[in-house]
Amino acid sequence: MLNLALMLEGTAERLPSREAVVLGDTRLSYAQLNAAANQVANLLVESGVRPGDRVALSCPNLPYFPIAYYGILKAGAVVVPLNVLLKAREIAYHLQDSGAKAYLCFEGTPELPMAAEGWRGFGQAHGCDHFFLMTADPQAPSPIEGATTMGSAVAGQAPRFETVVTEATDTAVILYTSGTTGHPKGAELTHANMVMNALTCWRLFGAADQDVHLVTLPLFHSFGQTVQMNAGLYGGATLVLLPRFDAATALAIMERERVTFFAGVPTMYWGLLSVDRENGNAAAIAANLRMAISGGAALPVEILEQVEKVYGVRIREGYGLSETSPVASFNHPGREAKPGSIGQPIWGVQMKLIDTDGNEVPESEPGEIAIRGHNVMKGYHGRPDATAEVIRGGWFRTGDVARRDEDGYYVIVDRAKDMIVRGGFNVYPREIEETIMTHPDVSLVAVVGVPHESHGEEVKAFVIRNPGSRLTEGELVNWCRERMASYKYPRLVEFRHELPMTSTGKILKRKLRDEA
């Protein structure tokens, strides 16, 4: 038996009065967090959720997230975390593709009306029978027709629950990722995948019971979910939640709560440094901060050096994907941290560089990163062909190209083909292109990432309009905004009469990026 919920349960038994989760004036102990998760588990079982059923969860960084997350796991079900910025069409797709039995959504989710519309769009006809709304006031009526407020639903549920027996190879979490083509695919991560990755991270970071994490990475993403929530709660850390990153707020929290552990994407570090130049929180923060981690995009060496100078801590970069639970490599403490490198493989994980035929490339030559180990996903939910395409002979082919130096450190030289990383969020051009192509005035479109000072990259669409169209850039941007999550839609549009192509008709996106 192995269940990811044990990451919380074990610590609740060992350190029941230790603060587990903090948000403003709300401070939950491990015992309280575990009891609340037990109530959710009882509710789900009473509602007909059975082991192996998928349960979707839309929630920002609030105590509700770990409560619902571990409650779902305790019931033996599979957590399907959804980005809170998804639109109705996208939510409906995720619910249908995962075959969700129930949908848990926070009332303050920015796109709540979209979430409700997405649920109705999927509907009970496909088996998603329950819509539970997590509200601040359990007595208030649900503002969504057909939804039940979580507060009223769990009010009579027992705070005790015997966690359902699950096997190490059973799916624990489905994380949706588009790869580089087509609709988003659900990476099935087993209990073993998630537990082993969290335990390895905990040992790697040298975590202690007295650690205090500032959690501003979205918990619906694998980075914050594994590195901070699962690993942190296993180790007895206190998670101080920040639902939306704001540099000034983050610095104030880091000083007030004596934060020892910060994980973020490069733009977050850039924001902290920019604000701290004016407010001067650095000395108080540096007195407690012992670990800083970066991932999601390449970290500029200049930012790394400034953070070390200002806060007295060396940022350590790592690498991973949703399909690898996510951590695959890291600049290990106790070893040299090489700026610009994603480090070396973590314990229990192997990495190699291969050519297009799957053969290892000669030393120092660039090649595609292939990974195998305890962290590699079970496969893509309901997509055996897509799974077979990326997992061959037990090795997961990432699509990312890197070099390996004489010390075994890996350096990314090119990301997965065409993928855009905007502010730490992965944006996949084909998904954007397929939506834009539904506009009646659009004939052809190519979407690429272009450099941006604070976001790393911005999404830009090169568009050929239909003859006679008077569609403007602003009109198309607004049209996209209504149909895509805020991190996806293109802010930049350029109309052209033609797009550069190869002799076979393939659009030369590299040329468009170079021109941009």
Side-chain angles (χ1 to χ4, degrees):
M1 181 256 187
L2 183 66
N3 190 304
L4 181 58
L6 296 175
M7 307 302 279
L8 168 63
E9 289 184 5
T11 311
E13 293 177 3
R14 181 168 60 91
L15 300 168
S17 60
R18 166 81 167 155
E19 286 188 345
V21 174
V22 173
L23 177 71
D25 295 331
T26 299
R27 311 183 83 90
L28 298 181
S29 69
Y30 272 89
Q32 290 171 321
L33 180 62
N34 191 54
N38 285 339
Q39 288 182 300
V40 171
N42 278 311
L43 170 64
L44 293 175
V45 171
E46 184 182 90
S47 301
V49 172
R50 298 292 178 257
D53 284 346
R54 275 76 64 195
V55 177
L57 172 61
S58 290
C59 187
N61 288 9
L62 300 170
Y64 281 123
F65 190 97
I67 289 171
Y69 183 92
Y70 292 111
I72 295 167
L73 292 167
K74 283 169 177 282
V78 178
V79 187
V80 185
L82 302 184
N83 191 315
V84 298
L85 300 178
L86 295 177
K87 302 293 186 180
R89 175 183 60 83
E90 297 165 320
I91 293 168
Y93 166 78
H94 285 79
L95 294 177
Q96 183 170 359
D97 188 76
S98 67
K101 179 76 171 180
Y103 182 26
L104 280 59
C105 182
F106 174 60
E107 68 169 342
T109 297
E111 305 296 343
L112 178 59
M114 298 288 186
E117 185 182 336
W119 175 64
R120 294 192 190 99
F122 174 60
Q124 295 183 354
H126 292 87
C128 190
D129 301 325
H130 302 284
F131 187 171
F132 293 108
L133 194 63
M134 296 174 277
T135 60
D137 182 1
Q139 304 303 320
S142 171
I144 302 298
E145 182 181 353
T148 303
T149 61
M150 182 70 78
S152 60
V154 301
Q157 300 294 339
R160 294 172 301 280
F161 183 83
E162 184 174 333
T163 296
V164 172
V165 173
T166 52
E167 300 301 325
T169 54
D170 290 341
T171 303
V173 179
I174 296 179
L175 295 177
Y176 272 85
T177 174
S178 296
T180 56
T181 59
H183 291 294
K185 300 183 288 291
E188 290 197 51
L189 301 168
T190 67
H191 289 276
N193 287 151
M194 297 294 284
V195 168
M196 288 298 293
N197 208 240
L199 288 177
T200 304
C201 287
W202 176 77
R203 293 183 63 187
L204 191 62
F205 303 149
D209 286 350
Q210 299 306 309
D211 260 333
V212 178
H213 290 234
L214 176 59
V215 185
T216 189
L217 289 166
L219 289 175
F220 52 76
H221 278 185
S222 57
F223 190 177
Q225 198 174 122
T226 290
V227 171
Q228 295 198 277
M229 186 176 74
N230 287 330
L233 292 179
Y234 168 79
T238 296
L239 308 184
V240 183
L241 306 181
L242 181 58
R244 184 182 179 88
F245 179 75
D246 172 79
T249 303
L251 287 168
I253 292 174
M254 291 172 77
E255 182 177 2
R256 183 179 70 246
E257 299 291 343
R258 299 181 179 180
V259 168
T260 66
F261 192 110
F262 183 85
V265 296
T267 52
M268 291 180 180
Y269 288 101
W270 176 82
L272 294 177
L273 290 168
S274 298
V275 172
D276 218 350
R277 290 191 189 99
E278 301 175 6
N279 296 352
N281 301 62
I285 292 170
N288 298 297
L289 192 63
R290 72 167 191 85
M291 178 67 70
I293 294 172
S294 180
L299 178 71
V301 175
E302 182 180 354
I303 291 180
L304 183 148
E305 293 176 344
Q306 287 183 30
V307 167
E308 186 170 14
K309 180 180 179 181
V310 173
Y311 300 112
V313 63
R314 182 81 164 184
I315 299 177
R316 293 187 174 270
E317 295 179 78
Y319 169 78
L321 309 93
S322 295
E323 292 92 337
T324 60
S325 306
V327 184
S329 68
F330 193 67
N331 276 271
H332 296 58
R335 305 179 195 173
E336 178 186 4
K338 294 191 177 185
S341 164
I342 59 172
Q344 300 165 311
I346 64 172
W347 180 88
V349 172
Q350 295 176 306
M351 290 170 55
K352 65 179 180 179
L353 301 179
I354 60 176
D355 59 22
T356 54
D357 296 322
N359 302 312
E360 284 198 65
V361 301
E363 196 66 33
S364 79
E365 290 294 315
E368 179 184 1
I369 298 175
I371 301 170
R372 72 175 176 184
H374 56 68
N375 60 338
V376 174
M377 67 173 180
K378 191 179 196 174
Y380 293 120
H381 178 66
R383 287 179 167 76
D385 291 344
T387 301
E389 185 177 338
V390 296
I391 301 180
R392 305 179 194 176
W395 289 88
F396 173 68
R397 304 180 69 151
T398 66
D400 291 325
V401 179
R403 294 180 186 270
R404 185 177 55 245
D405 69 14
E406 65 279 3
D407 298 318
Y409 286 72
Y410 287 76
V411 178
I412 300 287
V413 297
D414 197 8
R415 285 195 308 272
K417 185 179 179 182
D418 296 338
M419 187 179 74
I420 302 165
V421 180
R422 183 185 187 276
F425 288 94
N426 291 349
V427 179
Y428 299 95
R430 182 171 174 180
E431 182 185 1
I432 312 304
E433 291 163 355
E434 288 179 350
T435 300
I436 295 177
M437 284 297 293
T438 65
H439 193 289
D441 287 334
V442 172
S443 173
L444 187 64
V445 60
V447 172
V448 302
V450 298
H452 189 277
E453 181 178 285
S454 62
H455 295 310
E457 287 185 297
E458 187 55 271
V459 182
K460 181 170 183 177
F462 292 87
V463 178
I464 297 177
R465 290 174 289 193
N466 284 320
S469 170
R470 295 184 179 181
L471 179 68
T472 67
E473 292 90 343
E475 288 172 345
L476 184 56
V477 169
N478 288 333
W479 184 88
C480 291
R481 182 188 291 118
E482 295 174 357
R483 290 162 175 80
M484 302 177 213
S486 61
Y487 66 91
K488 292 182 182 179
Y489 75 85
R491 268 68 169 177
L492 305 173
V493 171
E494 181 178 335
F495 292 120
R496 292 195 171 190
H497 295 296
E498 60 182 16
L499 298 175
M501 297 185 183
T502 66
S503 58
T504 58
K506 185 177 180 180
I507 297 174
L508 290 168
K509 290 191 175 182
R510 183 177 296 277
K511 186 173 182 179
L512 290 174
R513 284 193 293 266
D514 291 344
E515 291 173 2

